[in-house]
Amino acid sequence: MEYPSKLVEQAVEEISRLPGIGKKTALRLALHLLKQPESQTAALSESLKDLREQIKYCQTCHIIADTEDCTCQTPSRDTTVICVVEDTPDVLAIRNTGQYNGLFHVLGGRISPMDGIGPDQVKIDSLIARVKQSGSEVKEVILALSSTMEGDTTAFYITKMLKETGVKVSTIARGIPVGGELEYTDELTLGRSIATRTLFSAD
Amino acid sequence: MKLNSLKLTYFKNYDALEANFSSGINCLVGKNGMGKTNLLDALHYLSMTRSALNTVDGQNIQHGESFFAINSVFEVADQELRINCYFEQGKKKVLKVNGKEVDKLSDHIGRLPSVLITPDDTEIIKEGSEVRRKFFDSVIAQHDRSYLEALIQMQRLLKQRNSFLKQNDGKLNINRQLLDVYDEGLLPLFQQIAKRRQAFIEEFTPYFIKNYAQIFEGKETPSIRYRSDVVSEDFELQFKEVFQKDILLQRTTKGAHRDDYVFALNDRAVKKFGSQGQQKSFVIALKLAEYDYLKTLKGLSPLLLLDDIFDKLDDERIHRLVSLLTDEERFSQIFITDARKERSEAFFEGKANVQFYEIHDGQLK
């Protein structure tokens, strides 16, 4: 694509690096910004700059936060369970279910040496330390990881590392989505949900 | 199963071709570079949803055009089956069966089974073990989905394990726990895959021996031996023992991904001691055995596509091959190419059910 100016080209280059944005969308966004008052673009770049400079990660659970000790210190939370997730959006998703009031631990990725991510690049050591340091306060670690080979690898690895602490390790159930039709469920999921079926309680 | 009609538009060197074919033997003759092999490739495309010669779809479009289309009418178990394939540069390839688009192309593979024999097939003998694994894996995977899934998973785990070993850079104080996680995933997969391969070779060998004997009478005993570390009883121990070697070499040195198949004639390796003609006969027997095996499992006759099959064979073997191929009970429809028209005409003389088609510059006569 040819651009009318070097400055536009630069802006398009930068914007199109963002996930899900191609050159055409990037150009549209750049030209849109030019049409708006200058202050709006300034506010945007200012807030992005602040985001990068001032964002904190909670020292304990590694959730993105404004301070270094986040809601995991809130006394109303159940401090006996830790739910292990890959990234911050997973925390929000689980919180929004309203079914979980325990603590979180954000790994920041999953083990995949192919992509250059080994066990040291994700926050597994700090999870082990956290369980150990709690004395015996933490009773259960729930693994809520993706159902992929890399997610499974991460889960097995964490389980191995937690073995000596004696803490209970569980994983979220996998199966048919609520409201889903059985016949449209793929065979692997269906097979797995048959194999790990649960007791039906009629109370 | 048989192909009744075929229409090609801008596929390779074909502008616009419309042809009807009959059951029995369809012999395509013509000079080099006229498009005999490309016609076989179009049929391979309908069966496997890709070209056997060039997997870049864009390069299968005629030069200067923007799309190709293959339209065909098959007859499968007395039912008419219209298979149409269309590819436009830069777009997704579309395959329709009786007017309905196929969602996943991999689901189509196996619907129209085919066996293609080309002069390049001697690679199966001459090249490294990877080519042999690939050949047998594709035969097994064509009817065994769980095998295919196990293979895919093994390859992914190996890729991760090897990347991890590479990043570790040969240091002996590697993170053993993570290595264990990969090993625990790999070991059962190795066992599952090796067991299936071993059982397959046992099922496959009788078909193979029968076919070889039909092409080359009695004097030589051919054999296929499956060779794998995985099947030995103490494999797990062996696998664990080499972990230091794995760390130093930064790859996984033992496992089903290192399996091989040894081809022999009278216990002498065909790769080293077989003549060109013997190697070619060996490969033809392998492929015809694949044909018989698929036919037994699927319950319908695959398409048999033979590209320049008479090349490098002596007259006696060609005679035997011809009488084998004209067995109508066994083969319902065969496509053969030959650059030497008089040769094919001479060998097929007096045989019923043989049609000749002359191909000249993308046109059929």
Side-chain angles (χ1 to χ4, degrees):
Chain A
M1 214 190 298
E2 274 205 30
Y3 301 98
S5 106
K6 265 257 171 292
L7 293 169
V8 171
E9 188 177 347
Q10 257 174 35
V12 167
E13 272 304 314
E14 290 303 324
I15 299 173
S16 65
R17 279 174 212 248
L18 296 171
I21 294 188
K23 296 254 152 138
K24 271 193 181 151
T25 311
L27 180 65
R28 202 162 58 88
L29 293 176
L31 296 179
H32 171 82
L33 285 174
L34 285 179
K35 278 195 195 132
Q36 306 302 310
E38 211 180 318
S39 61
Q40 200 178 323
T41 312
L44 174 66
S45 50
E46 198 61 30
S47 68
L48 289 177
K49 200 161 154 274
D50 288 349
L51 175 72
R52 271 326 288 245
E53 285 172 358
Q54 292 169 27
I55 201 74
K56 300 269 191 305
Y57 291 88
C58 171
Q59 294 270 302
T60 320
C61 62
H62 312 290
I63 292 178
I64 292 173
D66 293 335
T67 58
E68 287 193 351
D69 33 55
C70 68
T71 45
C72 59
Q73 309 294 329
T74 315
S76 64
R77 296 212 157 247
D78 179 359
T79 53
T80 61
V81 269
I82 299 179
C83 179
V84 180
V85 295
E86 278 165 32
D87 239 321
T88 303
D90 304 334
V91 173
L92 305 180
I94 291 177
R95 253 189 214 157
N96 286 341
T97 63
Q99 298 290 318
Y100 182 70
N101 189 34
L103 302 174
F104 284 96
H105 190 92
V106 181
L107 294 174
R110 54 188 146 176
I111 300 176
S112 174
M114 227 155 72
D115 305 303
I117 305 171
D120 301 336
Q121 276 75 46
V122 289
K123 308 270 188 236
I124 291 177
D125 287 347
S126 88
L127 171 69
I128 314 297
R130 202 174 155 191
V131 173
K132 280 184 185 160
Q133 276 161 21
S134 80
S136 53
E137 198 189 346
V138 175
K139 299 268 181 287
E140 183 177 358
V141 171
I142 305 172
L143 302 174
L145 304 172
S146 323
S147 182
T148 58
M149 201 214 90
E150 287 75 21
D152 288 345
T153 301
T154 313
F156 280 124
Y157 181 75
I158 292 176
T159 312
K160 255 184 201 303
M161 300 300 281
L162 280 174
K163 205 162 185 185
E164 51 167 326
T165 65
V167 71
K168 179 172 151 195
V169 181
S170 59
T171 176
I172 52 168
R174 262 125 210 205
I176 299 153
V178 174
E181 295 280 358
L182 208 68
E183 58 172 321
Y184 296 122
T185 314
D186 72 287
E187 288 151 32
L188 272 176
T189 309
L190 197 55
R192 197 156 167 172
S193 54
I194 292 265
T196 60
R197 64 192 178 276
T198 50
L199 276 179
F200 195 85
S201 90
D203 310 330
Chain B
M1 186 175 93
K2 90 185 224 282
L3 171 73
N4 283 335
S5 68
L6 178 74
K7 192 174 150 205
L8 299 178
T9 314
Y10 302 139
F11 183 75
K12 298 193 162 182
N13 72 325
Y14 288 94
D15 261 354
L17 173 95
E18 277 189 66
N20 295 310
F21 296 100
S22 54
S23 54
I25 295 177
N26 294 277
C27 196
L28 311 167
V29 293
K31 292 185 183 137
N32 293 139
M34 291 297 141
K36 302 184 295 295
T37 305
N38 287 345
L39 204 149
L40 289 192
D41 200 27
L43 303 182
H44 182 270
Y45 210 110
L46 292 170
S47 167
M48 306 301 281
T49 74
R50 62 184 165 79
S51 162
L53 306 163
N54 192 340
T55 45
V56 183
D57 279 317
Q59 292 171 4
N60 292 321
I61 301 174
Q62 190 174 97
H63 188 71
E65 299 298 334
S66 62
F67 75 95
F68 74 71
I70 310 173
N71 305 81
S72 67
V73 180
F74 282 85
E75 204 179 298
V76 179
D78 293 329
Q79 295 274 318
E80 198 181 82
L81 205 61
R82 279 172 293 123
I83 314 274
N84 296 320
C85 189
Y86 178 85
F87 175 77
E88 192 175 340
Q89 191 67 266
K91 293 201 177 140
K92 207 179 122 235
K93 141 166 76 184
V94 178
L95 187 103
K96 285 185 176 173
V97 178
N98 284 340
K100 196 164 173 289
E101 193 177 335
V102 176
D103 291 334
K104 255 171 85 185
L105 289 177
S106 63
D107 286 348
H108 175 72
I109 297 172
R111 193 188 325 244
L112 291 176
S114 71
V115 173
L116 170 70
I117 308 186
T118 78
D120 293 338
D121 286 339
T122 38
E123 279 181 5
I124 297 175
I125 292 175
K126 291 175 187 158
E127 295 294 316
S129 59
E130 190 181 347
V131 186
R132 286 181 285 283
R133 281 195 305 274
K134 208 169 144 193
F135 169 66
F136 287 115
D137 281 348
S138 86
V139 182
I140 306 173
Q142 272 201 56
H143 67 271
D144 188 341
R145 254 205 118 73
S146 62
Y147 180 76
L148 184 66
E149 270 153 24
L151 268 186
I152 293 170
Q153 206 172 0
M154 172 185 83
Q155 274 148 8
R156 212 180 155 95
L157 274 165
L158 278 172
K159 221 170 157 180
Q160 292 285 20
R161 189 183 194 264
N162 290 342
S163 304
F164 179 56
L165 288 169
K166 273 203 185 68
Q167 273 158 32
N168 182 59
D169 210 16
K171 292 191 294 282
L172 281 177
N173 64 338
I174 197 170
N175 185 331
R176 282 298 297 274
Q177 279 88 356
L178 183 59
L179 211 56
D180 282 349
V181 170
Y182 288 127
D183 296 355
E184 280 159 28
L186 279 169
L187 283 166
L189 286 171
F190 284 161
Q191 297 291 354
Q192 183 191 342
I193 288 167
K195 255 190 210 131
R196 187 71 191 88
R197 284 178 178 166
Q198 198 169 31
F200 166 76
I201 286 300
E202 268 166 40
E203 293 163 39
F204 186 77
T205 300
Y207 292 107
F208 169 69
I209 289 180
K210 207 177 93 207
N211 275 293
Y212 191 86
Q214 278 174 337
I215 309 172
F216 208 113
E217 201 176 48
K219 300 158 212 158
E220 300 155 329
T221 325
S223 64
I224 309 171
R225 193 166 55 82
Y226 171 57
R227 194 172 70 192
S228 171
D229 294 331
V230 183
V231 289
S232 61
E233 258 174 43
D234 61 340
F235 173 72
E236 210 171 314
L237 206 72
Q238 285 182 36
F239 184 79
K240 299 257 186 233
E241 268 171 5
V242 294
F243 95 93
Q244 288 196 340
K245 193 172 157 195
D246 284 7
I247 291 173
L248 291 173
L249 295 174
Q250 301 177 23
R251 58 188 164 78
T252 309
T253 52
K254 274 191 187 293
H257 61 299
R258 310 271 297 172
D259 287 357
D260 201 353
Y261 300 84
V262 184
F263 298 145
L265 280 172
N266 291 339
D267 293 327
R268 280 159 70 88
V270 180
K271 190 176 184 170
K272 286 188 190 131
F273 303 105
S275 71
Q276 294 221 38
Q278 280 172 325
Q279 292 190 346
K280 178 136 187 177
S281 313
F282 203 95
V283 169
I284 293 173
L286 272 178
K287 291 277 188 148
L288 289 177
E290 178 190 355
Y291 177 93
D292 292 337
Y293 183 77
L294 286 178
K295 187 178 173 180
T296 312
L297 279 171
K298 300 254 175 205
L300 79 158
S301 311
L303 279 183
L304 189 58
L305 312 172
L306 310 173
D307 190 14
D308 204 8
I309 194 176
F310 299 145
D311 184 49
K312 285 192 190 126
L313 291 181
D314 59 36
D315 284 1
E316 193 198 327
R317 290 199 194 200
I318 297 181
H319 258 302
R320 290 181 158 278
L321 208 53
V322 164
S323 56
L324 185 157
L325 293 174
T326 42
D327 179 354
E328 279 172 53
E329 292 265 303
R330 191 167 162 202
F331 303 101
S332 63
Q333 195 180 34
I334 302 178
F335 291 83
I336 299 183
T337 70
D338 195 351
R340 287 167 52 195
K341 186 183 170 194
E342 51 324 317
R343 172 169 64 187
S344 285
E345 278 175 347
F347 280 111
F348 283 115
E349 209 191 308
K351 307 279 184 199
N353 248 332
V354 182
Q355 287 284 330
F356 282 89
Y357 302 85
E358 210 166 324
I359 297 185
H360 185 78
D361 261 337
Q363 292 297 321
L364 211 63
K365 269 190 273 182

